[in-house]
Amino acid sequence: MSESGIRQLGVSDARANMTEVIAEVRLLGQPVALTRRDKPQAMLISMDRWKAATLDAEIRPVYDDLVRRLNKLANDTEFAAVLERKDPTLYELLQTGAF
C-alpha cells in the first residue's frame, strides 16, 4: 500500500495476475496503481469510478460558472434580500463562502 492507501502493483505482477486484479478492482471498487520501478505509471479503476470521474469533469465547469454567477448576484443587495427571504439556506451558504 502507498501512503494514500491505494494498493500498488508492479506492471509485471499485474500482467501475470490480470484476471484477479480486475476482479478486485471491479468487485471491491478499490483502485490499483500500476508501477514500474516503484513509480506510478497508470491507475486501474472500476467502471463506476471512471463514469463518476468523467461526469465530474463534464459538470465541473458548469458548476464553477454557476457558483461564480451566484456569488456575483449575492453581492447585489436587492438580489441578496430576496434570496435571504426565499431561500435562507442558500443565502447563508453564499454568505459563508461554503461554495
Side-chain angles (χ1 to χ4, degrees):
M1 290 276 174
S2 71
E3 292 177 18
S4 64
I6 295 174
R7 179 177 173 209
Q8 293 191 353
L9 188 62
V11 172
S12 297
D13 290 336
R15 187 180 306 118
N17 300 293
M18 189 55 73
T19 301
E20 292 83 8
V21 173
I22 290 173
E24 178 182 328
V25 170
R26 184 176 59 84
L27 297 173
L28 299 178
Q30 297 298 317
V32 174
L34 302 177
T35 63
R36 178 164 278 135
R37 295 184 185 94
D38 294 325
K39 294 181 182 170
Q41 302 296 309
M43 186 68 70
L44 186 61
I45 60 172
S46 69
M47 287 301 296
D48 288 341
R49 187 170 279 201
W50 179 80
K51 287 176 186 175
T54 300
L55 181 60
D56 185 54
E58 292 172 359
I59 291 174
R60 176 59 59 177
V62 175
Y63 171 83
D64 290 344
D65 183 55
L66 177 62
V67 169
R68 181 189 58 74
R69 291 168 60 195
L70 276 171
N71 283 321
K72 185 176 179 182
L73 283 170
N75 289 327
D76 178 301
T77 54
E78 184 180 342
F79 178 85
V82 171
L83 182 61
E84 184 177 20
R85 193 173 62 252
K86 296 284 188 175
D87 193 335
T89 303
L90 179 56
Y91 174 79
E92 184 178 332
L93 289 171
L94 287 169
Q95 294 302 310
T96 60
F99 287 108

